[in-house]
Amino acid sequence: MNKKLKILLLILAAIFIVIQIIPFRKPSNKPVFGNDLMEASAIPQDIASLLKNTCYDCHSQHARFPWYAHVAPVSWLVARDVNVGREHLDFDKWGSLTKKEKLKFLDEISEEVDSENMPMKIYTIMHGDARISRAQRDMIVQWAEKMAEQVFEE
Amino acid sequence: MKKMNWSLIVLLPAMALTLILTSAFDNQRKSSNPEEKFVIPEGITTIMDKSCFGCHNAESSNDKAKEKLLIDKLTELSKAKLVAKLDGIAETVGKNEMPPEKFLAKYPDKALTKEEAKQLLDWAKAASEELMK
């Protein structure tokens, strides 16, 4: 093998090993039982599985972390997306939200899903089950609006 | 045969009249109920026309602004949605996030004055509370 290429590969390998020990805010799951939307409210089965597959990895305390989510630099990206995602909207906070906050929460869901801002493209590349059709988007939007009416009437 | 024709002549207009009258009363009842329609006060419309409407309208070319809020469609929303939108207005205005800085750099005269921001915030909060009653 070409000597220069060998050195380059060695340097890259060294960088890869060194970046594994750089500390960062690693997200962990801290669910409070009964607080999650699925536990606190009756959600139709098809909607529940849609939300779990497309939203819960970043917007809940029930995130599934694949092996590569623990390897830098991907782990940094995952950590950032999950931390920011939970700040914006966390399905595990549902039970502790006020009525108004719930309405905002549901409005946010229909907006982001309808406009196809969510789920993020970078996420669906690696998660085939999060790639949803227009019809599935409409299902989520319709559910969110119905749920909002229900919350409003409560 | 003749008798029937005569009764029809009387009955039909009478039925028509009843229909017209009941629907008229119905309309009156609806329009006299102040809770039925969401109205934006004039002072608030003036502020929003200046600082918000340019992007937040159905014909806007700013897609993100359109997704978030359509001021000209507010009155068509369900109460549940309206509460969410009003809270959104209160939040963004309260945090001084809207109008965006980049936009204001170009159009400084579109900025909300402190007084306008307060009026908008107070209105959004009060209107959402009113809907939640």
Side-chain angles (χ1 to χ4, degrees), chain A residues 31-40 91-97:
Chain A
V32 177
F33 186 75
N35 235 12
D36 171 38
L37 173 78
M38 311 282 170
E39 293 159 359
F91 281 94
D92 270 271
K93 285 201 183 125
W94 177 262
S96 58
L97 297 180

Side-chain angles (χ1 to χ4, degrees), chain A residues 100 107-108 111 145 149, chain B residues 68 78 81 85 128-129:
Chain A
K100 262 188 176 182
D107 185 51
E108 213 63 59
E111 238 170 57
E145 316 234 307
E149 294 300 325
Chain B
K68 291 279 168 197
S78 70
K81 275 252 161 198
K85 294 298 176 199
S128 134
E129 284 303 324

Side-chain angles (χ1 to χ4, degrees), chain A:
Chain A
M1 206 196 277
N2 184 324
K3 208 177 173 186
K4 270 185 184 166
L5 190 70
K6 226 176 186 173
I7 293 171
L8 184 74
L9 281 174
L10 268 172
I11 292 172
L12 282 177
I15 290 174
F16 180 77
I17 291 164
V18 167
I19 62 172
Q20 300 309 319
I21 54 170
I22 296 176
F24 61 98
R25 191 155 71 99
K26 206 173 181 177
S28 58
N29 286 321
K30 296 188 188 71
V32 177
F33 186 75
N35 235 12
D36 171 38
L37 173 78
M38 311 282 170
E39 293 159 359
S41 305
I43 309 298
Q45 194 50 53
D46 49 350
I47 297 293
S49 57
L50 266 178
L51 295 178
K52 282 204 163 146
N53 287 338
T54 52
C55 322
Y56 266 54
D57 281 345
C58 293
H59 294 289
S60 82
Q61 304 294 327
H62 291 83
R64 305 160 293 180
F65 295 109
W67 65 268
Y68 53 81
H70 302 284
V71 182
V74 177
S75 55
W76 303 340
L77 190 74
V78 171
R80 190 196 159 273
D81 287 346
V82 175
N83 289 331
V84 173
R86 285 173 177 173
E87 264 165 46
H88 276 281
L89 188 144
D90 184 343
F91 281 94
D92 270 271
K93 285 201 183 125
W94 177 262
S96 58
L97 297 180
T98 66
K99 192 168 162 179
K100 262 188 176 182
E101 287 167 338
K102 284 182 180 169
L103 294 174
K104 189 87 201 337
F105 189 102
L106 291 164
D107 185 51
E108 213 63 59
I109 293 174
S110 54
E111 238 170 57
E112 296 298 317
V113 173
D114 189 35
S115 64
E116 304 191 7
N117 286 340
M118 286 288 153
M120 295 195 302
K121 292 249 156 55
I122 193 157
Y123 173 71
T124 53
I125 290 173
M126 296 304 284
H127 297 80
D129 56 352
R131 259 171 253 150
I132 46 173
S133 66
R134 189 64 238 175
Q136 286 172 314
R137 286 181 188 278
D138 293 342
M139 263 172 69
I140 296 176
V141 171
Q142 274 164 23
W143 162 78
E145 316 234 307
K146 226 171 91 188
M147 188 78 193
E149 294 300 325
Q150 216 175 300
V151 169
F152 187 78
E153 297 299 333
E154 266 169 23

Side-chain angles (χ1 to χ4, degrees), chain B residues 65-93:
Chain B
K66 272 163 71 176
E67 286 159 20
K68 291 279 168 197
L69 173 74
L70 294 175
I71 293 167
D72 44 352
K73 302 278 177 201
L74 270 183
T75 53
E76 294 169 24
L77 295 178
S78 70
K79 283 184 180 178
K81 275 252 161 198
L82 203 46
V83 169
K85 294 298 176 199
L86 287 166
D87 281 2
I89 294 174
E91 201 184 308
T92 45
V93 173

